[in-house]
């Protein structure tokens, strides 16, 4: 089964970025960075996201943006 992006999991649950940011305890702009792959999602944040969306951690694809890959040199 293909994995869902963080955004797809959020949208499937019917939450806005602002609502998901509240769930994770981060600002909306920081959540946008997570969703875009510009910032790594912390394990506790991923756990909360999975709890709220009902998806398991292995069903969520955590991507790195091209910008983050350049910055990390990978």
């Amino acid at each position: 089964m293909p994995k869902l992006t963080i955004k797809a999991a959020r949208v499937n649950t019917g939450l806005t970025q602002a609502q998901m940011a509240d769930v994770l305890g981060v600002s909306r702009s920081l959540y946008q960075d997570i969703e875009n792959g510009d910032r790594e999602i912390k394990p506790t944040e991923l756990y909360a996201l999975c709890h709220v969306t009902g998806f398991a951690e292995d069903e969520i694809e955590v991507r790195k943006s091209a910008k983050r890959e350049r910055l990390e040199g990978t």
Side-chain angles (χ1 to χ4, degrees), residues 1-3 19 21 25 29-31 33 37 43 49 53 60 68 70:
M1 171 187 256
K3 293 186 175 194
Q19 290 168 324
S29 64
L30 197 112
Y31 175 75
D33 287 345
L49 182 135
T53 63
I60 306 292
R68 191 166 129 214
R70 280 192 309 275

Side-chain angles (χ1 to χ4, degrees), residues 39-56:
R39 180 203 176 262
E40 187 173 352
I41 189 167
K42 294 178 181 176
T44 55
E45 295 164 344
L46 181 58
Y47 176 81
L49 182 135
C50 290
H51 180 75
V52 169
T53 63
F55 294 104

